[in-house]
Amino acid sequence: MFRQQHFWNHDEKTVTLTFSDGSPSIELPIEQGTYGKPVIDIRALGAHGYFTHDPGFTATSSCTSAITYIDGDEGLLYYRGYPIEELAYKSDYMEVSYLLLHGELPTAEQKMAFEQSIRHHTLLHDQMENVFRGFRRSAHPMAVMIGVTGAMSAFYHSGLDNFNPAHREIVAHRLIAKVPTVAAWAYKFNEGQPFVYPQNRLSYAENFMHMMFSSPCEEYVPNPVLARALDRIFVLHADHEQNASTSTVRLAGSSGANPYACIASGMASLWGPLHGGANEAVLRMLEEMDDVSKIPEFIKRAKDKSDPFRLMGFGHRIYKNMDPRAAIIRQTCYEVLDELDLRDDPQFKIALELERIALEDEYFIAKKLYPNVDFYSGIIFRAMGIPTSMFTALFAMARTAGWVAQWHEMLSDPAHKIGRPRQLYIGAARREFVPIGQRKA
């Protein structure tokens, strides 16, 4: 059963908001979490006739959460208090999924039971094949994933009560188990190949590789080095605090909407090129560069403020230091390239030379434009034979555990309300209706 944790520290600090026109001042409480900057609780502003204006919500805390903590200045990422470095090297995706959902690492017995439950739910309802066949063969895998995941709400809705913790746990297990099947089948459908059913004897990453790469014609044996690399990527992408897609899931879920539709909405947000599509952009950039000899020309363009060209896969909006996930996935990238003997592949040579320049060039160091997790994950996926169109689909697979954990946490909070952001209206003032015959151009 899920267990909710709260570490929120309440103190008696306040801030006083004063007005230049002599209006009465407003006193607002200041709250402090386990880590991070203090938060001014502005909920009382509405009663005084005010609200804040914060485009992009870059300075607004929309919820309390005990799941993930990020310190972008220091380059820290914790899941439930555990540094991502320890989880990436010492744990696996199933254990991390349990941690995100339940708040604690599982015992051996708990992990075994959790994995058995996930395996039990990997199959899709037989009629869902008809949903896949309703798409064009050329449809982007993410379009198919969004549609099919949302369609689960028509198959797994009987007796579902969002406010019953036991029901939420079943939903979480179903989604973590079924999204890899949906992703692999989206690829198979796109390629015109027969669907491959999951195999319960395989690990989570191996099972996905089996469904994606095997065929009825011959046996497929997942490479253990590649399977471990994929599992590690899933761990690194499992959650990332209140990003665009996670906030979308929470906002949709705040209305009590069907959870499968909520996760589909998160996938839709993730699909954007400014979010989950970033590693696709890395591969397109490498293809555009074409040869190592052209790198200096592109580096020069990247430094030119008047040139719209930007190096993809470098720097991060949140991390002002090196993305802690990047150092981990960098080592994983080398392991994959060595296992597949691809260090001399022309495109990978370009990527490795770009990496060298970014880590040594004073311009990139000064601006802290380090290679990020998207840079390395794109290289790994291509080396494994995963097409560019599937990159965001794998990101969605990994993030599903975080999405359902965040959805559960929100609904467990007795203080949660339906999301209803405010706006600063700048349109026309009230005006009279003019009959169409009297209107002037």
Side-chain angles (χ1 to χ4, degrees):
M1 190 69 67
F2 286 125
R3 185 171 70 182
Q4 183 69 6
Q5 292 182 314
H6 292 284
F7 301 99
W8 199 11
N9 298 323
H10 298 270
D11 53 33
E12 298 181 358
K13 282 187 177 180
T14 62
V15 61
T16 302
L17 185 65
T18 59
F19 301 89
S20 59
D21 63 358
S23 298
S25 61
I26 302 171
E27 192 171 38
L28 301 172
I30 299 176
E31 306 289 356
Q32 178 66 61
T34 308
Y35 293 114
K37 298 176 181 178
V39 176
I40 300 172
D41 187 341
I42 63 170
R43 284 176 288 184
L45 286 178
H48 294 272
Y50 295 93
F51 57 90
T52 59
H53 182 58
D54 181 21
F57 308 111
T58 57
T60 298
S61 167
S62 62
C63 64
T64 61
S65 180
I67 298 174
T68 300
Y69 172 70
I70 298 172
D71 185 328
D73 293 331
E74 296 298 324
L76 303 176
L77 171 60
Y78 297 164
Y79 292 165
R80 299 286 193 179
Y82 292 97
I84 191 63
E85 296 85 354
E86 292 194 13
L87 294 173
Y89 291 120
K90 299 177 182 179
S91 186
D92 59 38
Y93 183 69
M94 284 290 90
E95 193 168 52
V96 167
S97 296
Y98 185 99
L99 171 67
L100 294 175
L101 290 168
H102 296 273
E104 298 291 344
L105 289 169
T107 63
E109 293 77 12
Q110 288 170 334
K111 186 184 180 189
M112 183 180 298
F114 180 69
E115 290 178 337
Q116 287 176 347
S117 178
I118 298 301
R119 291 190 183 102
H120 175 73
H121 288 293
T122 53
L123 271 177
L124 298 178
H125 192 289
D126 190 59
Q127 282 187 300
M128 292 196 74
E129 285 196 26
N130 298 329
V131 180
F132 282 91
R133 301 190 193 285
F135 290 93
R136 295 178 59 130
R137 287 284 181 183
S138 60
H140 193 287
M142 279 302 292
V144 177
M145 281 190 72
I146 293 165
V148 173
T149 303
M152 285 187 195
S153 58
F155 291 86
Y156 307 105
H157 61 85
S158 180
L160 175 61
D161 179 2
N162 286 351
F163 297 97
N164 183 324
H167 289 198
R168 291 201 298 271
E169 184 163 20
I170 293 171
V171 167
H173 290 201
R174 278 180 179 159
L175 279 161
I176 292 171
K178 294 182 189 301
V179 166
T181 308
V182 173
W185 284 20
Y187 168 73
K188 288 296 192 183
F189 184 75
N190 197 251
E191 293 292 306
Q193 298 179 14
F195 296 139
V196 175
Y197 288 96
Q199 292 290 320
N200 291 347
R201 61 183 171 80
L202 299 173
S203 72
Y204 194 82
E206 288 173 341
N207 195 29
F208 172 73
M209 294 168 68
H210 162 77
M211 289 188 289
M212 184 164 176
F213 293 121
S214 67
S215 76
C217 304
E218 57 186 45
E219 183 182 4
Y220 173 81
V221 180
N223 182 312
V225 174
L226 303 189
R228 178 55 188 160
L230 195 58
D231 188 88
R232 187 171 290 161
I233 290 175
F234 291 163
V235 168
L236 297 179
H237 284 99
D239 196 60
H240 209 239
E241 213 197 67
Q242 303 308 312
N243 52 76
S245 57
T246 300
S247 298
T248 300
V249 171
R250 277 184 173 259
L251 188 59
S254 72
S255 70
N258 185 285
Y260 303 101
C262 295
I263 299 305
S265 72
M267 290 178 178
S269 176
L270 185 72
W271 193 8
L274 300 182
H275 193 3
N279 47 19
E280 287 190 44
V282 171
L283 267 292
R284 287 195 294 269
M285 177 190 72
L286 295 178
E287 290 170 0
E288 184 182 355
M289 289 184 176
D290 186 49
D291 189 82
V292 174
S293 63
K294 297 181 181 178
I295 290 179
E297 173 191 342
F298 283 92
I299 294 294
K300 182 179 179 181
R301 291 181 59 191
K303 295 178 180 180
D304 185 353
K305 292 182 179 180
S306 63
D307 193 317
F309 173 77
R310 293 292 180 268
L311 282 176
M312 304 305 297
F314 293 83
H316 196 282
R317 177 182 173 182
I318 299 298
Y319 298 107
K320 306 309 176 187
N321 207 318
M322 189 166 187
D323 182 341
R325 301 169 300 173
I328 300 166
I329 203 170
R330 179 175 183 247
Q331 177 182 331
T332 303
C333 181
Y334 289 153
E335 291 171 2
V336 169
L337 294 181
D338 288 339
E339 175 67 16
L340 298 175
D341 195 23
L342 286 173
R343 289 266 188 149
D344 292 328
D345 179 273
Q347 198 169 83
F348 294 129
K349 278 188 173 181
I350 296 173
L352 296 178
E353 178 63 12
L354 273 176
E355 177 200 49
R356 185 193 65 78
I357 292 172
L359 294 175
E360 296 178 2
D361 190 289
E362 291 184 5
Y363 175 86
F364 290 95
I365 294 172
K367 292 186 173 294
K368 298 186 176 181
L369 294 176
Y370 302 107
N372 61 33
V373 69
D374 297 310
F375 179 79
Y376 294 110
S377 63
I379 296 171
I380 292 172
F381 289 158
R382 182 181 182 275
M384 293 176 64
I386 297 170
T388 307
S389 62
M390 282 293 294
F391 287 4
T392 313
L394 270 73
F395 195 168
M397 282 173 50
R399 188 55 55 86
T400 297
W403 286 335
V404 293
Q406 297 273 352
W407 170 78
H408 158 70
E409 181 182 60
M410 177 193 63
L411 293 179
S412 301
D413 186 353
H416 107 271
K417 296 181 179 180
I418 184 173
R420 180 59 173 88
R422 302 300 298 266
Q423 67 171 20
L424 179 62
Y425 176 71
I426 59 172
R430 185 187 186 282
R431 45 189 174 174
E432 299 298 326
F433 181 82
V434 178
I436 191 168
Q438 301 176 24
R439 297 173 200 164
K440 297 180 181 179

